[in-house]
């Protein structure tokens, strides 16, 4: 979420929000209407619904009603989709819920690296009721990424 403010606006039509993966090639994400003429503090906000995994560069193009414009400074924001994946409950007894990934392939290893169970899942749930208690490593594989998480099986 990008937040910015102005303290004085004259002839302000609005702001074009732009994004880049490399800081050189820009794409338009959206437009926020300005207040025209204002001498009080104005707050603005825009949320990027699809950030790149890794570095994201953002800038604003402030547009005036007469067609003139200025660019803001460029900011860099790092985003990791891997942090969007988590398991619950942990410790787990019967069913391991995977939040953030609905389908993919899983492999469950014991602490010695032996494969205990593997397969595909389509609902975000893996049945672990037949596995022995202990610390387990779960590898999730999607079309674009691999995650490894540690869980405790009761």
């Amino acid at each position: 979420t990008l937040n910015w403010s102005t303290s004085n606006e004259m002839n302000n039509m609005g702001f074009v929000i732009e994004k880049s993966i490399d800081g050189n090639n820009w794409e338009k994400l959206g437009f926020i209407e300005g207040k025209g003429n204002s001498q009080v503090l104005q707050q603005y906000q825009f949320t990027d619904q699809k950030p790149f995994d890794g570095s994201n560069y953002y800038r604003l193009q402030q547009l005036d009603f007469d067609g003139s414009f200025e660019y803001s400074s460029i900011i860099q924001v790092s985003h990791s989709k891997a942090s969007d994946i988590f398991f619950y409950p942990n410790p787990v007894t019967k069913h391991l819920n995977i939040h953030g990934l609905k389908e993919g392939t899983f492999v469950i290893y014991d602490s010695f690296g032996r494969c205990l169970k593997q397969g595909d899942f389509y609902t975000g749930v893996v049945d672990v009721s037949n596995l022995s208690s202990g610390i387990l490593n779960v590898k999730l594989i999607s079309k674009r990424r691999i995650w490894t998480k540690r869980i405790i099986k009761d």
Side-chain angles (χ1 to χ4, degrees), residues 2-4 6 9 15 32-35 42-45:
L2 306 171
N3 296 293
W4 70 97
T6 63
E9 294 184 25
F15 302 91
I32 300 290
E33 196 171 302
K35 302 299 181 201
Q42 301 292 334
Q43 303 285 338
Y44 296 95
Q45 186 176 73

Side-chain angles (χ1 to χ4, degrees), residues 37-56:
N37 295 303
S38 172
Q39 293 189 9
V40 297
L41 185 67
Q42 301 292 334
Q43 303 285 338
Y44 296 95
Q45 186 176 73
F46 182 86
T47 300
D48 182 355
Q49 299 295 330
K50 297 180 181 180
F52 302 126
D53 196 18
S55 292
N56 293 263

Side-chain angles (χ1 to χ4, degrees), residues 1-146:
T1 299
L2 306 171
N3 296 293
W4 70 97
S5 60
T6 63
S7 58
N8 186 15
E9 294 184 25
M10 290 178 47
N11 196 30
N12 182 18
M13 184 168 71
F15 302 91
V16 175
I17 299 89
E18 296 182 342
K19 175 170 88 170
S20 172
I21 196 165
D22 60 9
N24 295 311
N25 300 298
W26 297 91
E27 66 180 87
K28 178 182 173 181
L29 281 183
F31 180 81
I32 300 290
E33 196 171 302
K35 302 299 181 201
N37 295 303
S38 172
Q39 293 189 9
V40 297
L41 185 67
Q42 301 292 334
Q43 303 285 338
Y44 296 95
Q45 186 176 73
F46 182 86
T47 300
D48 182 355
Q49 299 295 330
K50 297 180 181 180
F52 302 126
D53 196 18
S55 292
N56 293 263
Y57 297 88
Y58 297 95
R59 72 180 181 187
L60 300 174
Q61 181 188 41
Q62 186 276 315
L63 297 171
D64 286 344
F65 287 110
D66 64 8
S68 61
F69 62 89
E70 287 185 29
Y71 285 105
S72 69
S73 57
I74 297 169
I75 61 165
Q76 178 187 8
V77 178
S78 293
H79 176 74
S80 175
K81 294 178 183 171
S83 64
D84 297 338
I85 302 292
F86 63 90
F87 299 154
Y88 65 93
N90 193 8
V92 61
T93 306
K94 294 181 182 179
H95 296 98
L96 180 64
N97 296 288
I98 301 164
H99 178 78
L101 186 64
K102 291 292 181 198
E103 63 181 72
T105 302
F106 71 90
V107 183
I108 300 176
Y109 301 94
D110 66 11
S111 58
F112 298 104
R114 294 180 293 217
C115 177
L116 302 176
K117 186 172 186 170
Q118 62 185 18
D120 295 325
F121 66 94
Y122 301 99
T123 61
V125 178
V126 175
D127 183 358
V128 295
S129 60
N130 62 341
L131 299 179
S132 299
S133 298
I135 296 174
L136 304 175
N137 293 302
V138 181
K139 182 187 284 188
L140 297 177
I141 304 160
S142 74
K143 292 179 182 176
R144 296 185 178 160
R145 248 185 116 135
I146 297 173

